[in-house]
Amino acid sequence: MKEHIVVLGGGVIGLATAFSLSRRGYEVTILEKTTCGGQASGAAAGMLAPYSEISEDPDPFFTFCLSSLRMFKEWQQDVKHASGIDFEYTESGSLHVVYHESDILALESRIAWQKQFGSEAEIVDHNRLKALEPNLSDDVVAAIHSNEESHVFAPDYVIALKTACENNGVNIYENTGSITVESWISSLVLKTEEGASFTGDRLVICSGAWSNELEETFDIRIPVFPIRGQICAYELGQEKVNHILTSSQGYLVPKENGTLVNGASEDIAGFSTTVTEKGISRLVNWNKRMLPFLERKTPFHTWAGLRPATQDGFPLLGSLEEHPHIIFATGHYRNGILLSAKTGEAVADIVSGTGLDPETARAFHPERFS
Ligand code: FAD
Ligand code: GLY
């Protein structure tokens, strides 16, 4: 009989995990309290951008992100093939801009360590920038140009992942209400709010910002908490933007559908996904310094999502030492879309017995806080 894996949470991490497991022949069930992709994953800007996101020195998190980026081209083709859905994946490259000559030194040290990981990024001066991105402000003095960074249209990507899972035979239960774990040591039993129960051989916890609710159940510390990201989008119209644009203030991502996504705040607001005037006006105030044409525009859409942040910034990935049938895959904070490919395959490696490389296993151990 096939081993049966239950995945708790149908965000991008739960869906990618279910996709990887199902194509390796496991029986998989996803339990999702609302709708798949309805939380952080559907709200994301979709950047696959480890160089732009991780500006400090490299660590196991950076190498995990980079490895996922390098898997993504093939991964997204696999998802398209299995789902029959052609979502946007654009190899746009990125420009990380600065406005002062004195900031160029910081760019140089940033690309110096990135090059050790095979990056072909380079610093481009104002004149070359104008050729790459004609609408960029004259205030920009230089930028790091990273060819490797790309992006997906996150809402369509999660729909495609869900469809790929369904086509692979994954059982998906949505709108279950909050699932509780009734028993897990000798036998695994999960219950919906209405009392329906589900059993399985192993459990993968992919419940994102809500993962901390399971602390008491497993008697370990799960320091995952929600950080709200408020974000907005513009209609581009006649104006053209070619790259992912980032600065110390935030990012702008041009989408194939003619919109420009501008993110994002990082605020503590519990589990609220309300959009505030303050959150959006902060974006609107800095973005025109990068793209002056935005002065004449107003966002047509605003929204927010809850990033699953952790105490040390690393995800919880791996199984419990004494109960290897309980696996955590949560806490991907700002990079869950990027990390979906690597995480899905890593969980499938754990289940199939290959495991993680020792450095990753240690750094992301789910019991490291306990
Ligand atoms: P979620 O998508 O939140 O999924 C968790 C799911 O678990 C939810 O659907 C929830 O309903 C379900 N759940 C929780 N508890 C239970 C329970 N008890 N029973 C049943 N179901 C449960 N990442 C990038 O890589 N690139 C980006 O450009 C990017 N941009 C972002 C922009 C914004 C504004 C935000 C908010 C995030 C962004 N991120 C980005 C981060 C990314 O969205 C997250 O890291 C990722 O979505 C986390 O995925 P997840 O599956 O862990 O969480
Ligand atoms: N990675 C972009 C964000 O989390 O806003």
Side-chain angles (χ1 to χ4, degrees):
M1 237 183 35
K2 283 191 198 171
E3 221 184 326
H4 181 194
I5 322 294
V6 179
V7 175
L8 182 63
V12 75
I13 298 300
L15 291 165
T17 295
F19 176 60
S20 289
L21 287 167
S22 61
R23 65 179 179 170
R24 294 206 202 175
Y26 294 97
E27 186 187 340
V28 186
T29 297
I30 295 178
L31 303 176
E32 166 52 53
K33 71 173 163 187
T34 56
T35 52
C36 288
Q39 295 293 342
S41 305
M47 291 180 291
L48 311 172
Y51 298 117
S52 300
E53 281 281 334
I54 301 148
S55 54
E56 308 301 326
D57 291 341
D59 57 21
F61 185 63
F62 169 76
T63 50
F64 202 65
C65 286
L66 187 60
S67 159
S68 203
L69 173 68
R70 290 179 177 163
M71 287 169 65
F72 223 94
K73 192 182 184 100
E74 192 179 330
W75 168 267
Q76 56 88 29
Q77 275 164 354
D78 293 350
V79 176
K80 285 176 179 165
H81 185 250
S83 64
I85 296 176
D86 186 17
F87 57 90
E88 178 186 3
Y89 163 75
T90 303
E91 293 179 334
S92 57
S94 66
L95 294 169
H96 176 75
V97 312
V98 293
Y99 300 96
H100 302 285
E101 295 287 339
S102 56
D103 290 327
I104 296 177
L105 195 63
L107 297 188
E108 279 164 2
S109 51
R110 193 158 155 174
I111 61 171
W113 70 255
Q114 290 177 352
K115 279 184 188 303
Q116 293 167 20
F117 293 88
S119 163
E120 288 174 5
E122 52 174 355
I123 296 181
V124 285
D125 64 14
H126 181 79
N127 291 340
R128 280 181 65 207
L129 268 174
K130 282 305 243 188
L132 287 169
E133 201 64 78
N135 279 313
L136 212 52
S137 157
D138 285 339
D139 285 354
V140 173
V141 295
I144 295 182
H145 180 211
S146 289
N147 253 333
E148 244 184 301
E149 298 197 313
S150 46
H151 60 98
V152 292
F153 190 71
D156 288 350
Y157 170 50
V158 288
I159 290 170
L161 267 176
K162 182 186 169 199
T163 308
C165 285
E166 285 167 339
N167 291 349
N168 282 4
V170 174
N171 311 296
I172 302 182
Y173 295 87
E174 293 181 289
N175 300 307
T176 60
S178 187
I179 297 281
T180 47
V181 181
E182 285 284 298
S183 73
W184 59 278
I185 295 181
S186 52
S187 65
L188 181 65
V189 182
L190 295 104
K191 278 225 156 84
T192 67
E193 277 176 3
E194 288 180 347
S197 45
F198 293 88
T199 59
D201 301 306
R202 299 198 204 212
L203 174 64
V204 190
I205 293 147
C206 304
S207 45
W210 294 265
S211 304
N212 172 267
E213 290 171 0
L214 295 167
E215 264 194 347
E216 227 173 274
T217 305
F218 296 110
D219 196 23
I220 58 166
R221 281 197 65 224
I222 308 174
V224 178
F225 48 92
I227 296 289
R228 182 172 63 184
Q230 298 184 53
I231 183 163
C232 64
Y234 292 82
E235 295 282 6
L236 269 172
Q238 300 302 310
E239 321 287 353
K240 249 187 97 56
V241 179
N242 303 320
H243 301 82
I244 296 172
L245 302 176
T246 67
S247 75
S248 58
Q249 302 286 300
Y251 52 82
L252 291 152
V253 191
K255 297 292 177 185
E256 211 170 63
N257 65 3
T259 65
L260 182 69
V261 173
N262 180 193
S265 73
E266 282 189 346
D267 34 75
I268 299 172
F271 288 90
S272 164
T273 51
T274 305
V275 173
T276 66
E277 205 202 311
K278 192 173 161 206
I280 300 302
S281 56
R282 196 193 68 79
L283 302 174
V284 169
N285 286 338
W286 70 255
N287 67 25
K288 40 186 169 283
R289 183 151 190 226
M290 200 186 275
L291 292 175
F293 72 75
L294 289 175
E295 183 85 64
R296 303 187 299 275
K297 292 184 184 275
T298 309
F300 75 99
H301 183 33
T302 60
W303 68 98
L306 301 173
R307 305 179 185 90
T310 64
Q311 191 174 307
D312 61 4
F314 291 178
L316 277 68
L317 180 63
S319 47
L320 298 185
E321 288 294 333
E322 290 182 18
H323 305 283
H325 65 296
I326 305 295
I327 299 164
F328 281 78
T330 185
H332 294 73
Y333 192 36
R334 292 179 60 97
N335 289 288
I337 303 294
L338 165 64
L339 286 173
S340 55
K342 183 75 181 170
T343 302
E345 288 298 288
V347 173
D349 286 345
I350 292 168
V351 170
S352 63
T354 319
L356 302 176
D357 70 81
E359 194 194 9
T360 307
R362 218 176 10 257
F364 300 170
H365 200 296
E367 289 164 292
R368 66 185 182 278
F369 303 104
S370 299

